[in-house]
Amino acid sequence: PPSQIEESPEDDRQAQSDVDKSKQLSIRDIVDLQETGFTVRIQPPGQESFELQVSGQLLVAELHQVLMEHEITCHRTCFSLQLGGTALNSLTELSSIQGIQDGALIKVVEDSYSVRDARLHLRHVRDLLRSLDPADAYNGVNCSSLSYLTFYTRGDKG
């Protein structure tokens, strides 16, 4: 009967167009997240959280390495990263993680050490200790200095 309303192919194209627009917006959001940096909050165990500027293209494994070299978390080597209670896959880009956004809280969760992890940890600590170059003390870098006080005060006593 002619009184029934039929859907035209044009209506189907409009509905499909709306779906495509929503997909494009989410893809655009992902591209923006990849191209621009954003800030995440890192929560180490037993310490206050701190902010860290990251790129959306950064892999979770690379973030792990950054944290191993960061001054607040450099003493930790065997840990996993969690967002919202879910462990993050090491080979995943930050931008592809669901729920990641500017200001997201990523928790550092300590893992138990295997023999291999213990060896890597000791090597990392040795590297940290070697980075304290005595030349820094001679140059007064990083609040390091040699003390010449006894050399100068001996001359005053005599």
Side-chain angles (χ1 to χ4, degrees):
S3 64
Q4 290 181 343
I5 299 174
E6 294 182 17
E7 288 187 27
S8 68
E10 192 172 305
D11 292 337
D12 288 340
R13 277 187 246 132
Q14 180 65 30
Q16 185 65 28
S17 175
D18 291 340
V19 171
D20 289 343
K21 284 181 185 176
S22 67
K23 283 183 183 177
Q24 286 176 353
L25 290 176
S26 64
I27 290 172
R28 182 174 294 137
D29 292 339
I30 291 170
V31 169
D32 288 345
L33 195 58
Q34 286 179 341
E35 290 178 354
T36 60
F38 58 99
T39 303
V40 293
R41 295 200 58 77
I42 304 295
Q43 176 67 61
Q47 294 179 323
E48 289 188 31
S49 65
F50 62 92
E51 291 186 347
L52 187 67
Q53 186 76 22
V54 294
S55 165
Q57 296 176 332
L58 192 70
L59 294 175
V60 172
E62 293 171 325
L63 177 59
H64 191 279
Q65 187 64 36
V66 166
L67 292 175
M68 284 179 54
E69 296 170 4
H70 193 275
E71 63 188 33
I72 295 175
T73 54
C74 65
H75 61 284
R76 301 184 190 282
T77 56
C78 191
F79 59 88
S80 61
L81 301 173
Q82 292 185 358
L83 177 67
T86 304
L88 302 178
N89 183 345
S90 299
L91 301 176
T92 306
E93 283 188 359
L94 293 180
S95 62
S96 64
I97 297 172
Q98 187 174 5
I100 194 96
Q101 59 186 359
D102 194 45
L105 181 67
I106 297 177
K107 291 187 177 184
V108 176
V109 179
E110 293 179 328
D111 292 335
S112 56
Y113 285 86
S114 65
V115 173
R116 180 181 178 277
D117 291 331
R119 286 183 181 147
L120 290 174
H121 180 77
L122 290 174
R123 182 176 299 141
H124 180 71
V125 170
R126 277 196 342 235
D127 290 343
L128 287 174
L129 292 173
R130 281 191 198 140
S131 70
L132 301 174
D133 190 2
D136 288 345
Y138 291 111
N139 297 322
V141 177
N142 295 329
C143 299
S144 298
S145 68
L146 298 174
S147 176
Y148 294 106
L149 184 60
T150 55
F151 175 80
Y152 289 112
T153 56
R154 268 190 262 149
D156 291 341
K157 291 182 180 179

